[in-house]
Amino acid sequence: MPLPMPSSLTTVAPLQVQQLCPSNSISLTQNPPWIPTPYLLSKYPTIHHLSSCKTMKQLTQIHAQTITTGIFHDNFVASRILSFAALSPHGSINYARLLFSRICKPDVFIANTLIRAYAFSLNPVDAILFYTHILEHSLVRPDIHTFPLLLKACSEIPSLSLGQAIHSHVFKLGLSSQVSILNFLVQMYSSCSSLESAKLVFDRIPECDDASWNIMMCGYMKCGRLELAREMFDGMWDRNVVSWSVMINGYVQNSRFKEGLELFREMLVKKVEPSESVLVNILSACSHLGAMEQGKWIEGFLRKKESGFTVRLGTALIDMYSKCGCTEKALEIFHEMEEKNVLAWSAMINGLAINGRGKDALNLFSEMEMFGAKPNEVTFIGVLNACNHSGFIRRTGLLDEAEKVIKTMPMKPNSVILGALLNACRIHGNTQLGEQVGKQLLELEPNHSGRYVLLSNIYALSGRWDCVAELRGVMRERGISKIPGCSFIDVGGAIHEFVAWDNTHPESEKIYGKLEEISRELKLAGYKANMSEVLLDMDEEEKETALCHHSEKLAIAFGFINSKPGTTIRITKNLRVCADCHSVTKLISKIYNREIVVRDRCHFHHFRDGSCSCMDFW
Ligand code: ZN
Ligand code: ZN
């Protein structure tokens, strides 16, 4: 059962505003480590213990002492105790809230501590609820430090109406010329997809700093307006490392991998030191493009540094090497890593599984359990992939087993798992179950074009053209267009990209010449086009030409022109390889005696001597 390669291993969350504007940053533990002065110690001997407090149990003991000695009534003492409960990783936000209600005259500093804790919690809306509570029930009034926290909470939720309400408070209190607050307003509006308002606020910032520019650019990136972000970036006269990170990470997160890599190279030429997040993103771009040379270069770059690579970078390297089909390198990195978390283990298990080493993957999984690392959903996908690749499921009747696995999974099957089941239905021609799963998926992900295409393929297989037409109507209605298939090939460290019917490549003429030659050879070998997956209403001859110009075929032709005989051709495709391209590539590998490795959205295909490693199940 093919499962999509999980990308969650290396995806990086968009930069947060506190990373974007270090000058007026906020963080969960904003306060520096607290060291009581001799004066305070002599005044309140009990609080001496606070600086060494490690658990809530210790805190409650200290709290009890402050009550019995009567010093809890001093706001300074109360704020220290509340601060531990609210902000420490060992604290308890509920306890902090209880403490707050026991303070006779709380001040804004104490209130801000609690708002901060809520804004960074899993329920950021509590920050807003608490804020309205103190406005109604206490004399505490917000100050300049309160609003960045409230706006952060609104961005996290995200809620435009709450954000607008907070904005009006900022305005009423006469704080709308504070750059630090305006920056957070820009972020709030862009997080709530209200780019126009974000730009309006941005334009009114009296003295824009670097942070303001970076936040605005990041907002454009988040909303997919890459060209506007790029315009700003190009217009910046002083770009710092954060500006570069915003642009590069933005490209990668919007699947514009080539542009991300190009900008990364420019960054290095300008001698700007890349941050960890940029390196992780670039490695993710390399794995999407199959750009192993570039990925290798980053490994070398990291090895030259004294700090070596972190768990995050190590995991990204494992993922990159695995997805470039080089498990040995991935294993080398994995064994070298001193510290391994669940993501590192999952990356390696997945890496082995997608490269057809199912047994090794399952062994590693048991090793992982022995080490006491708790598997998560990503690990689970790897294990399912491993079962598939070692033929465990196929032996026993793929679909029944897959259905059983899905029903007994510890978590509710998500779209990834259902998508895999749908694909399995297509492979096995089970249109009945396929239709059922397909409809379920469309409800879950009404904007995912790939789901429509797969269901449409299933209908087409059973010749139900009326259903195909109906589905296409739904797609049109909902404004969903099919993602164009594109293939990448790495030739001498440069990535060449091809889409179907591509004639933009400088060597286009040669490529089509080579394709014609290949077609002649194929016909001589008895090839007949497989048109089951051409869904357009064309006549047979047109269908054949349409298939002939699929992006991976163009990439293969280009690979032939630009590589020495006998060398392996490596291609990466963003979608699933179609049945025709699959059988053509098998034949080509035999006729030309060439190994061709194609990595599609779900699988590795190692074509050699007329057959494929996936055994025609993909
Ligand atoms: Zn194709
Ligand atoms: Zn294959």
Side-chain angles (χ1 to χ4, degrees):
M1 179 169 65
L3 288 154
M5 298 183 188
S7 53
S8 55
L9 294 173
T10 48
T11 44
V12 180
L15 284 170
Q16 295 291 319
V17 80
Q18 55 267 28
Q19 291 163 274
L20 296 170
C21 46
S23 52
N24 43 42
S25 67
I26 55 166
S27 68
L28 178 58
T29 49
Q30 182 203 36
N31 308 326
W34 179 64
I35 302 152
T37 62
Y39 166 74
L40 286 170
L41 278 177
S42 62
K43 197 174 169 200
Y44 305 122
T46 323
I47 59 167
H48 173 65
H49 303 298
L50 259 179
S51 50
S52 56
C53 179
K54 292 272 180 305
T55 62
M56 272 309 287
K57 198 175 167 207
Q58 289 170 348
L59 188 82
T60 48
Q61 284 166 356
I62 297 168
H63 181 203
Q65 274 178 6
T66 61
I67 293 171
T68 49
T69 52
I71 61 168
F72 186 74
H73 290 300
D74 187 316
N75 265 9
F76 175 77
V77 175
S79 83
R80 297 313 318 174
I81 297 178
L82 184 137
S83 176
F84 179 92
L87 306 179
S88 155
H90 313 289
S92 152
I93 201 164
N94 291 338
Y95 195 82
R97 180 66 190 263
L98 208 67
L99 283 172
F100 187 86
S101 65
R102 298 286 185 275
I103 299 172
C104 302
K105 282 185 192 156
D107 54 34
V108 65
F109 178 83
I110 299 178
N112 283 348
T113 305
L114 207 47
I115 294 178
R116 176 185 310 280
Y118 283 130
F120 281 87
S121 73
L122 292 175
N123 297 311
V125 72
D126 288 346
I128 313 291
L129 294 176
F130 177 68
Y131 170 69
T132 49
H133 173 83
I134 55 169
L135 286 186
E136 283 170 6
H137 301 284
S138 76
L139 294 172
V140 179
R141 287 298 163 259
D143 68 359
I144 185 172
H145 303 294
T146 315
F147 290 103
L149 298 167
L150 294 173
L151 291 168
K152 181 197 157 37
C154 297
S155 315
E156 292 290 323
I157 300 171
S159 164
L160 183 60
S161 53
L162 284 178
Q164 283 167 330
I166 301 296
H167 190 173
S168 70
H169 284 206
V170 169
F171 189 75
K172 271 190 204 154
L173 290 171
L175 295 171
S176 33
S177 56
Q178 293 290 335
V179 179
S180 63
I181 296 180
L182 290 170
N183 283 346
F184 278 92
L185 275 168
V186 173
Q187 201 221 10
M188 180 275 294
Y189 279 118
S190 52
S191 298
C192 299
S193 305
S194 184
L195 272 181
E196 251 172 58
S197 306
K199 186 70 183 11
L200 272 177
V201 176
F202 175 77
D203 287 340
R204 284 183 194 162
I205 299 179
E207 271 172 55
C208 262
D209 53 11
D210 290 352
S212 319
W213 278 72
N214 291 337
I215 292 170
M216 192 63 231
M217 264 162 43
C218 194
Y220 282 141
M221 278 298 190
K222 251 189 239 163
C223 299
R225 302 297 302 271
L226 279 69
E227 67 301 343
L228 291 175
R230 185 62 194 249
E231 222 172 82
M232 281 191 79
F233 180 77
D234 289 339
M236 276 176 96
W237 54 276
D238 186 21
R239 302 169 190 159
N240 58 18
V241 60
V242 181
S243 328
W244 286 91
S245 309
V246 168
M247 278 312 291
I248 294 173
N249 296 359
Y251 274 132
V252 175
Q253 280 149 18
N254 282 286
S255 304
R256 299 266 287 268
F257 307 116
K258 260 186 86 177
E259 278 112 320
L261 274 181
E262 274 159 22
L263 205 61
F264 176 65
R265 284 191 201 115
E266 214 180 307
M267 179 184 189
L268 296 175
V269 170
K270 294 259 157 71
K271 303 231 173 340
V272 184
E273 181 79 11
S275 61
E276 186 194 48
S277 82
V278 165
L279 291 169
V280 170
N281 269 293
I282 286 301
L283 282 171
S284 157
C286 292
S287 53
H288 275 99
L289 294 170
M292 197 161 89
E293 289 308 311
Q294 183 82 51
K296 242 188 213 162
W297 186 89
I298 290 176
E299 189 203 333
F301 174 82
L302 289 172
R303 285 191 187 281
K304 268 187 238 145
K305 291 174 116 192
E306 256 175 49
S307 51
F309 42 78
T310 56
V311 184
R312 221 168 131 214
L313 280 166
T315 307
L317 279 170
I318 293 173
D319 197 49
M320 183 276 298
Y321 277 123
S322 309
K323 287 181 181 166
C324 290
C326 195
T327 26
E328 286 315 312
K329 278 295 293 183
L331 277 168
E332 192 188 307
I333 304 274
F334 179 74
H335 290 307
E336 217 179 292
M337 280 169 76
E338 278 170 22
E339 193 194 331
K340 298 180 182 92
N341 60 13
V342 59
L343 288 181
W345 283 97
S346 308
M348 198 60 246
I349 292 172
N350 259 299
L352 288 166
I354 56 174
N355 282 286
R357 291 174 60 174
K359 224 174 179 171
D360 295 336
L362 293 177
N363 286 340
L364 197 66
F365 179 61
S366 6
E367 210 180 299
M368 172 185 180
E369 288 190 312
M370 262 167 15
F371 270 86
K374 205 168 162 266
N376 66 8
E377 252 179 84
V378 185
T379 330
F380 195 75
I381 290 179
V383 172
L384 266 183
N385 251 334
C387 291
N388 173 39
H389 286 282
S390 27
F392 293 159
I393 293 183
R394 223 174 273 156
R395 246 180 271 142
T396 50
L398 174 87
L399 277 184
D400 298 344
E401 195 62 21
E403 244 194 310
K404 219 193 293 167
V405 168
I406 285 165
K407 276 187 186 146
T408 52
M409 260 171 60
M411 54 284 271
K412 211 170 157 228
N414 57 16
S415 52
V416 178
I417 309 275
L418 287 177
L421 185 60
L422 181 60
N423 194 33
C425 294
R426 180 193 60 83
I427 292 171
H428 291 263
N430 187 332
T431 44
Q432 211 182 349
L433 185 61
E435 197 179 340
Q436 198 186 315
V437 178
K439 282 184 175 163
Q440 211 175 324
L441 258 174
L442 288 191
E443 265 171 39
L444 269 178
E445 294 183 315
N447 295 319
H448 189 309
S449 64
R451 309 298 185 212
Y452 292 85
V453 173
L454 211 51
L455 184 58
S456 170
N457 282 347
I458 285 177
Y459 284 139
L461 274 175
S462 53
R464 292 160 68 186
W465 297 102
D466 49 330
C467 296
V468 173
E470 198 186 310
L471 204 58
R472 231 182 292 158
V474 175
M475 279 178 86
R476 250 198 311 274
E477 236 170 66
R478 297 185 182 168
I480 296 149
S481 49
K482 199 180 151 185
I483 299 172
C486 59
S487 296
F488 305 94
I489 181 167
D490 187 346
V491 172
I495 304 293
H496 298 260
E497 183 182 351
F498 295 93
V499 293
W501 299 92
D502 208 330
N503 54 14
T504 56
H505 196 278
E507 291 187 49
S508 213
E509 220 170 288
K510 270 194 192 165
I511 294 169
Y512 281 97
K514 187 78 194 170
L515 257 187
E516 261 171 49
E517 180 210 308
I518 293 174
S519 294
R520 277 195 301 273
E521 293 286 339
L522 286 170
K523 288 229 166 89
L524 284 176
Y527 154 77
K528 211 175 164 303
N530 177 343
M531 297 181 203
S532 63
E533 292 187 39
V534 185
L535 303 178
L536 306 163
D537 308 309
M538 310 173 169
D539 63 34
E540 297 297 296
E541 199 176 323
E542 271 174 333
K543 275 187 188 174
E544 204 174 314
T545 337
L547 282 173
C548 186
H549 295 159
H550 273 183
S551 62
E552 52 269 60
K553 287 176 186 141
L554 295 175
I556 290 174
F558 181 74
F560 270 116
I561 299 169
N562 288 286
S563 62
K564 289 190 197 92
T567 51
T568 304
I569 293 178
R570 288 174 192 276
I571 288 164
T572 306
K573 190 177 179 200
N574 67 334
L575 303 175
R576 200 178 55 83
V577 174
C578 85
D580 185 66
C581 286
H582 198 265
S583 46
V584 162
T585 315
K586 280 199 290 189
L587 268 177
I588 292 176
S589 73
K590 189 174 173 137
I591 299 170
Y592 290 88
N593 193 22
R594 272 289 186 113
E595 191 174 335
I596 302 170
V597 181
V598 178
R599 195 196 86 195
D600 72 6
R601 207 175 69 80
C602 308
H603 269 267
F604 268 98
H605 302 269
H606 293 261
F607 296 97
R608 200 181 296 131
D609 200 24
S611 60
C612 179
S613 59
C614 77
M615 315 287 281
D616 299 338
F617 284 92
W618 80 100

